[in-house]
Amino acid sequence: MKITFLGGGNMAIALIGGMIERGFVAQDIQVIELDADNRERLHKRFGVRATGVADAQALACDVLMLAVKPQQMKAAVAPLAGALKDVLVISIAAGLRLGDIGRWLGSAATPYSRIVRCMPNTPALIGAGITGLYADPSVDAAGKEAAGRILAAVGSTVWIEDEAQMDGVTGVSGSGPAYVFHFIEALEAAGRAQGFDEATARKLAIDTVLGAARLAAGSEDAPSVLREKVTSKGGTTAAALAHLAQAGWHDTLVDAVAAAADRGRALGDELGKD
């Protein structure tokens, strides 16, 4: 499987590194990257071909990974309009809808349709991401298998049946690491307020979140059951959870995810304009 990346930023680097670790051949991977320094780094680090233009060799691929920023996508794919033939296109650009990408790659009358839309998150940079994927109905089982295999190189994957739900993926897992980092910040601040030095407070906070996540990932119990198991009636945990409930913490987080999803939809509307 020959794969070409349009864009050589952090997520492309994570994907290329993960793919090579999992048996993809460097000689089958190419990157179209405008920045000369980035091209040199990509070639030296991974042994992949890096070019500054979408030349015939770069487009002689089975999969084209769209890995540029959403705001730059329309201009970046303009030179490719009408040039793709049976290439599986995978977009990792947040917010951009398949219909808009297809129109830019083809035309309003005949949009390109063999596209998979993905939303990885930043833990993909260390191979611990979660990616939501949605495929245009024209993508066959082999195309979906190829997309899943590529994105699995940086973590786990879930397939979404309705493209409209991709904004929800963005709200939950795409933006989700920031919520967790913010929680760690608050837990660390709480530790310092209890008299711990910064290093100790940070270790207590990070390792608590890490351990709890590992326990939840490896348990057959739902998170609500795990929470109940560590909450003794009238105990310290119960006191803390009662305070969080009084502050509306649960509903606030649900509303925050909804706000992120709403913004994702709005960005899709804005970026998809002709």
Side-chain angles (χ1 to χ4, degrees), residues 4 30 32 49 54-62 64 79-80 83-84 87:
T4 295
Q30 301 181 72
I32 304 168
R49 177 178 183 261
D55 57 19
Q57 184 176 346
L59 295 182
C61 59
D62 302 301
L64 176 66
L80 309 180
L84 303 180
V87 174

Side-chain angles (χ1 to χ4, degrees), residues 7 20 47 51 87 144 150 154 156 175 178 187 230 232 244 259 263:
I20 290 173
T51 177
V87 174
K144 292 181 68 173
I150 290 170
V154 291
S156 56
S175 299
L187 197 57
V230 297
S232 301
L244 288 173
R263 182 55 182 155

